[in-house]
Amino acid sequence: MSHRVLTGITTTGTLHLGNYVGAIRPAVAASRAPGVESFFFMADFHALIKCDEPDRIARSSRAIAATWVAAGLDTDRVTLYRQSDIPEIPELTWLLTCVTAKGQMNRAHAYKAAVDAAVAAGEDPDANVSMGLFSYPVLMAADILMFNAHQVPVGKDQVQHIEMARDVAQRFNHLFGQGREFFVLPEAVTDTEMELLPGLDGRKMSKSYDNVVPLFEGGAKALKEAIARVVTDSKLPGEPKDPEGQALVTLYDAFATPEQRAAFRTALRDGLGWGDAKQQLVQLIEAHVGPMRARYDALMANPAELEAILQAGAAKARAIAAPFLKTLREAVGLRPYTSTAATTQAKADKAALPVFKQYREADGKFYFKLLSADGALLLQSHAFEQGRDAGQWVARLKREGLVADAPVAREGTEADIAAALAAFQAE
Ligand code: TRP
């Protein structure tokens, strides 16, 4: 299998220059590399989590799709699709939800931030938490695992989600793989450039700071107006200026050749006025963005063309997702009644791992035992009054191995017991 790269954009707004420089442009460039299979999608299921304005979501999805295409994405080579066109994704989300620890989701940054904000406002901790928000990382894991992406380019705020996807993948592989790795463990790719493009005020360009330069929206006029608002120092034309650390210069760099960068700096040191510098910046950006904007406007004016591109993308994506999901359904036990081979196979394979069995005897007391891969008794517990206590000991033995005070009789050799317990710690 070639190397797979996948990323999604939540469809709640339009894109700005920072999105283009940090995400779209490098993704389009990377998608042209040989041996790379790219998957880009509009994360519109994710949009529902934070937005209840249907028109906004629909418009945003269309604008982002048009942006991808206008930015030069070769849709014959890459797979561009709407998340919501792939019903296999929510289905996989459920399979993954069932193997995801709630405790792990409690630690998700986005959820914790919502809780912290509510608590700070004196509200109930979960006042602003929908199940969608809580389960956000599982849906994202399904996005990634559905296509077995190796690399996921994202902003730093998303890295935790990729780590969660890895954990879920590992757990699913372990529980249902019978030695097979269904899911590739994905890796986050964070480009430092991605975080760097400054906005009008010099802070990172971000909707939440209200400091963005629109990419296409509003045309050349809006671009010019935005650049006019970039904060500079108060040096007058003719005064020498220090180009370093100026947002204007960093924005210029993002579109300039090394020669242009050097020339721009020299001109500023020689006294180029900020007004003129801004005009040069507008021209430079417009030279890059103008032709793309024309394509963007054409696509926005012709929804049928864009829709056809997305339908073709969905077909390509589903050609991968549907057969894969079929395999996963089989693996977890969602099978046609005529499919008996899988069960027998599974039983034979299951026996290849040691197991803890917990049970209750006729005396009303609770017990557990450890059986080796071939069914030999290795450990036999004492009786417990509470099932919970037996369970806690099983968990502890799995975690820590055979601790000295474990309430068990050793029925197998030290080596066999140690090997069986090690298999759990590898989990
Ligand atoms: N959560 C991502 C964001 O807000 C968007 C997203 C959804 C995504 N699913 C994904 C990104 C899968 C990468 C892979 O930026």
Side-chain angles (χ1 to χ4, degrees), residues 47-118:
L48 299 181
I49 292 170
K50 37 185 168 177
C51 179
D52 58 6
E53 300 166 57
D55 294 337
R56 175 160 173 202
I57 288 174
R59 216 178 320 114
S60 169
S61 174
R62 199 147 74 82
I64 292 172
T67 301
W68 276 116
V69 176
L73 203 69
D74 178 354
T75 48
D76 290 332
R77 243 187 84 88
V78 312
T79 307
L80 176 72
Y81 55 99
R82 282 176 292 229
Q83 185 186 31
S84 63
D85 278 344
I86 318 299
E88 289 79 11
I89 291 174
E91 194 170 340
L92 177 57
T93 301
W94 183 251
L95 303 192
L96 298 179
T97 298
C98 294
V99 300
T100 301
K102 175 175 178 285
Q104 191 182 21
M105 295 300 103
N106 289 343
R107 293 191 286 276
H109 300 320
Y111 165 68
K112 282 206 317 198
V115 168
D116 290 348

Side-chain angles (χ1 to χ4, degrees), residues 6-10 41 43 46 50 83 136 139-140 143-144 152-154 157-158 161-162:
L6 173 146
T7 197
I9 298 180
T10 306
F41 65 97
H46 276 101
K50 37 185 168 177
Q83 185 186 31
Y136 185 110
L139 176 58
M140 187 156 157
D143 289 332
I144 297 166
V152 186
V154 282
D157 60 327
Q158 298 292 316
H161 295 146
I162 314 297

Side-chain angles (χ1 to χ4, degrees), residues 128-152:
N128 301 316
V129 180
S130 69
M131 285 307 295
L133 176 63
F134 189 67
S135 306
Y136 185 110
V138 193
L139 176 58
M140 187 156 157
D143 289 332
I144 297 166
L145 303 180
M146 185 85 263
F147 298 100
N148 268 329
H150 300 86
Q151 292 193 321
V152 186

